[in-house]
Amino acid sequence: MPFFSVIIPLYNKENFIEATLKSVLAQTFTDYEVLIIDDGSTDSSASIIKGYTDIRIRYFRTANKGVSSARNYGIQNATANYITFLDADDYWYPNFLDVMFKNSNKEPKIRVFSAAIEIETNNTTFTAAYSILQKNEYEIVNYFSASFKETVICTSCAVFHKTVFDKVGFFDTQLKSGEDTDLWIRIGLEYPVLFSWEILARYVYDQNSLSKNKNFLHTKPDFTAFAIAEKTDPLLKKFLDLNRFSLAIKFKLAGNKNAFRNQCKTIDRSNLSNQKRIVLLLPAFILQILIRFKTFWTEHGLGSAVFK
């Protein structure tokens, strides 16, 4: 049995999958299997995968049901005790699995491991900003307080003991966007996270991804499932309010006034900075201008401005 099961959901990534897969096969720690879940690709992704003969690669083709279904299929077919994901357009640095293996031995009671990432845009590459201070080589953190800026759990830079999914469940297949955040919240309510400061993965920023498509706003999590938990967990409440702020802005930009108002009603504005409170009051046309600046800043590595 391998130590790690690496799950790569794949849908029409013929221009990226080879670099992604090569980053896995270049790992200095070699005791792993790779499960590629082809979610009904219609491009040449499958033929690229079939060109590899490494016996650690297991290729599965399924009907197109979305990334959550593909990841869940991978979890169900994984044979290792430790499961990790890698999106088909992201990639790891060669020591990713080695660091995760060593950290799992240093902290055997921990069940969730992650590391810092860098973000690649069309113009530059920059390190993600986190809401915690570095004190050691790694920190054992509360997921919510550590993720007020960038999430400390990323689908391309985290490892989970398989018992985590037994306890909190899998990715919600009803969510077409934000399905990862929904799962991280469920995990954060149950487990601390060992976060390594070493940059071990690169996330490729795509302004056209589903998570940024206004047509999928209605499929994002509305966080009502956590209504009871947030009443007694102020860190969860602040984390949710920051996400609600972001979603409210997207609803206003999409012209959905009712959804915008409903999101605002659930936000405790003391959890927002003064800058964010002002942004909520701005008309959509001013927000459009700010979004253009925000996109420019993000693509040049200058952060996400006043937007989470």
Side-chain angles (χ1 to χ4, degrees), residues 4 34 74 79 98 106-107 119 200 228 232 257 259 275 297:
F4 293 107
V34 184
T79 63
D98 185 58
K106 291 176 184 176
E107 302 285 352
I119 301 170
L200 299 177
I228 295 176
T232 57
K257 295 180 180 179
Q275 205 171 18
W297 290 329

Side-chain angles (χ1 to χ4, degrees), residues 22-281:
K22 283 182 177 179
S23 78
V24 176
L25 299 178
Q27 292 296 299
T28 56
F29 183 89
T30 59
D31 186 15
Y32 60 85
E33 64 176 356
V34 184
L35 290 79
I36 299 175
I37 317 301
D38 187 342
D39 187 38
S41 293
T42 58
D43 64 1
S44 62
S45 295
S47 60
I48 293 172
I49 297 301
K50 292 175 181 178
Y52 286 84
T53 58
D54 194 303
I55 61 173
R56 295 171 297 183
I57 298 175
R58 301 169 61 197
Y59 174 78
F60 302 85
R61 183 173 175 85
T62 65
N64 179 240
K65 296 180 180 179
V67 67
S68 292
S69 179
R71 289 178 183 140
N72 291 345
Y73 190 90
I75 296 169
Q76 292 164 340
N77 285 276
T79 63
N81 284 328
Y82 288 90
I83 294 174
T84 180
F85 305 96
L86 181 60
D87 288 348
D89 51 4
D90 298 337
Y91 57 90
W92 289 338
Y93 288 101
N95 60 333
F96 172 77
L97 290 179
D98 185 58
V99 171
M100 294 296 171
F101 172 73
K102 290 176 179 176
N103 286 345
S104 69
N105 284 331
K106 291 176 184 176
E107 302 285 352
K109 293 183 180 180
I110 297 294
R111 289 292 178 261
V112 182
F113 303 83
S114 69
I117 64 169
E118 59 184 11
I119 301 170
E120 177 184 323
T121 71
N122 291 332
N123 299 288
T124 190
T125 299
F126 60 96
T127 303
Y130 299 97
S131 56
I132 47 176
L133 297 175
Q134 182 173 2
K135 298 177 181 178
N136 301 292
E137 180 182 354
Y138 62 80
E139 322 288 343
I140 298 177
V141 300
N142 173 282
Y143 170 70
F144 306 116
S145 62
S147 302
F148 291 157
K149 292 183 180 179
E150 187 70 51
T151 174
V152 294
I153 303 179
C154 171
T155 47
S156 290
C157 197
V159 168
F160 312 87
H161 193 275
K162 65 180 182 180
T163 55
V164 170
F165 303 104
D166 294 333
K167 185 160 190 171
V168 307
F170 293 179
F171 290 94
D172 186 342
T173 57
Q174 299 303 307
L175 300 174
K176 301 301 181 186
S177 178
E179 74 289 334
D180 49 353
T181 301
D182 171 73
L183 181 56
W184 306 159
I185 293 170
R186 285 182 273 138
I187 289 174
L189 287 169
E190 300 290 344
Y191 299 96
V193 180
L194 189 156
F195 176 74
S196 173
W197 285 101
E198 184 174 359
I199 297 172
L200 299 177
R202 179 175 291 190
Y203 165 75
V204 179
Y205 179 83
D206 181 5
Q207 184 62 32
N208 298 314
S209 70
L210 288 183
S211 65
K212 302 172 185 65
N213 189 327
K214 68 179 182 180
N215 295 324
F216 289 92
L217 283 175
H218 67 285
T219 69
K220 285 180 175 288
D222 60 9
F223 307 124
T224 54
F226 310 107
I228 295 176
E230 67 178 306
K231 290 180 180 178
T232 57
D233 189 333
L235 296 177
L236 168 64
K237 173 62 175 169
K238 182 173 181 178
F239 175 84
L240 292 180
D241 283 347
L242 289 169
N243 279 274
R244 287 169 175 141
F245 163 81
S246 178
L247 192 53
I249 294 301
K250 291 174 183 176
F251 278 128
K252 178 177 278 192
L253 290 167
N256 192 331
K257 295 180 180 179
N258 286 334
F260 169 77
R261 284 193 290 266
N262 289 336
Q263 284 296 319
C264 288
K265 288 177 183 177
T266 62
I267 297 174
D268 179 349
R269 303 205 181 193
S270 68
N271 283 327
L272 305 181
S273 66
N274 290 333
Q275 205 171 18
K276 285 182 168 61
R277 295 177 207 172
I278 293 171
V279 167
L280 281 177
L281 301 175

